[in-house]
Amino acid sequence: MLDRFNRKINYLRISVTDRCNLRCHYCMPADNPCMLRHQDILRFEEIQQVVAVAAALGVDKIRLTGGEPLVRRDIVELVSMISAVPGLSDLAMTTNGILLPDFALPLARAGLRRVNISLDTTDAVKFREITRGGDIQKVFKGIEAAREAGLLPVKVNCVVGPGPHGEDARGVADYCMRNGLQLRFIQQMDLQAGHFGIVEGGSGGDCKHCNRLRLTSDGKMKPCLFSDLSYDIRQLGIHRAMEMALDTKPEKGTVNRLNCFHNIGG
Ligand code: SF4
């Protein structure tokens, strides 16, 4: 499907939860993050229906995000339900990797194709600071498990600040080079201020060639990450919500005053 700027929209990013087992300081406040009510979170059947409608409209690429998607109970079952939808050429996930050592193989068997794993430093102490308590060894084991399970290519998402890449980013680049991993540098974003950049080594943030829509974990179809626009699939119906998102997709992102990163999945 084409939007009104003739961009081919074939990619749907689905946030399956706003919960996370880390508290990265640029994504989530340390305490009392604004969390969605359990009953507002989409059920698996609803997510599968959205994917089926999207696939029928021309979407062939799905990415599961969060919060942290692996904290959603029975996530392997959801992957299996989505991978059964005809017409998909790609099913990927963005994860912080902490739970991946246990999930990589079951996810691959359920139909997941590949993963992007967040890693902003290779220094264990700094990692614990950035994530407010995370254990970097679990991420390294998660990367290994993803590779062994055939979730390839394994890509690393490294969030960087403005200006030239610092010591942490260079350390991650080194680590990726030594381990044959693909690397994406993602400029730290600010939804409310409208600060974002094009992902180095990826396609995010390139408005001119944007190919994506987003579904929040409580069922809001969003035409753009940096926009307040959203369409409730439970009120409008899936097809109408997708149509409206496509028809109102902005030429480029501006600001998003209504969402937090952990409930929209970046
Ligand atoms: S800011 Fe919006 S239009 Fe630009 S790349 Fe992101 S989602 Fe696409």
Side-chain angles (χ1 to χ4, degrees), residues 20-22 68-70 94-99 116-118 127 139:
C20 187
N21 48 1
L22 294 178
E68 167 50 39
L70 296 183
T94 299
T95 167
N96 61 31
I98 296 285
L99 297 173
N116 285 45
I117 299 167
S118 310
F127 183 85
V139 180

Side-chain angles (χ1 to χ4, degrees), residues 3 38 64 72 83 95 104 106 112 117-118 132 134 145 148 166 175 177 181 191 193 234 240 243 255:
D3 73 358
H38 184 69
L64 302 181
R72 174 97 192 232
S83 66
T95 167
L112 190 72
I117 299 167
S118 310
R132 294 197 183 101
E148 281 158 20
Y175 169 78
M177 182 104 78
L181 305 167
L191 289 170
R234 286 173 167 157
R240 185 78 193 114
E243 258 176 9
V255 295

Side-chain angles (χ1 to χ4, degrees), residues 7 196 203-208 210-212 214 223-227 249-254:
R7 294 173 294 193
F196 67 96
S203 57
D206 178 6
C207 302
K208 197 161 182 295
C210 186
N211 63 345
R212 61 206 63 195
R214 287 175 171 80
C224 169
L225 178 59
F226 281 84
S227 154
K249 186 172 172 67
E251 188 169 13
K252 57 183 173 40
T254 50

Side-chain angles (χ1 to χ4, degrees), residues 237-256:
I238 299 169
H239 208 282
R240 185 78 193 114
M242 283 201 78
E243 258 176 9
M244 292 175 80
L246 187 71
D247 293 347
T248 59
K249 186 172 172 67
E251 188 169 13
K252 57 183 173 40
T254 50
V255 295
N256 179 341

Side-chain angles (χ1 to χ4, degrees), residues 1 9 11-14 42 46-47 49-51 53-54 57 59 212-224 227-234 236-246 248 259 264:
M1 54 186 164
I9 310 301
Y11 178 18
L12 179 62
R13 296 173 64 102
I14 302 176
L42 290 179
E46 292 176 294
I47 296 174
Q49 281 164 18
V50 170
V51 173
V53 171
L57 289 171
V59 166
R212 61 206 63 195
L213 297 176
R214 287 175 171 80
L215 180 68
T216 64
S217 49
D218 60 343
K220 307 290 188 311
M221 192 63 70
K222 287 196 62 80
C224 169
S227 154
D228 292 338
L229 295 171
S230 72
Y231 304 95
D232 191 323
I233 64 161
R234 286 173 167 157
L236 297 163
I238 299 169
H239 208 282
R240 185 78 193 114
M242 283 201 78
E243 258 176 9
M244 292 175 80
L246 187 71
T248 59
N259 293 107
I264 194 171

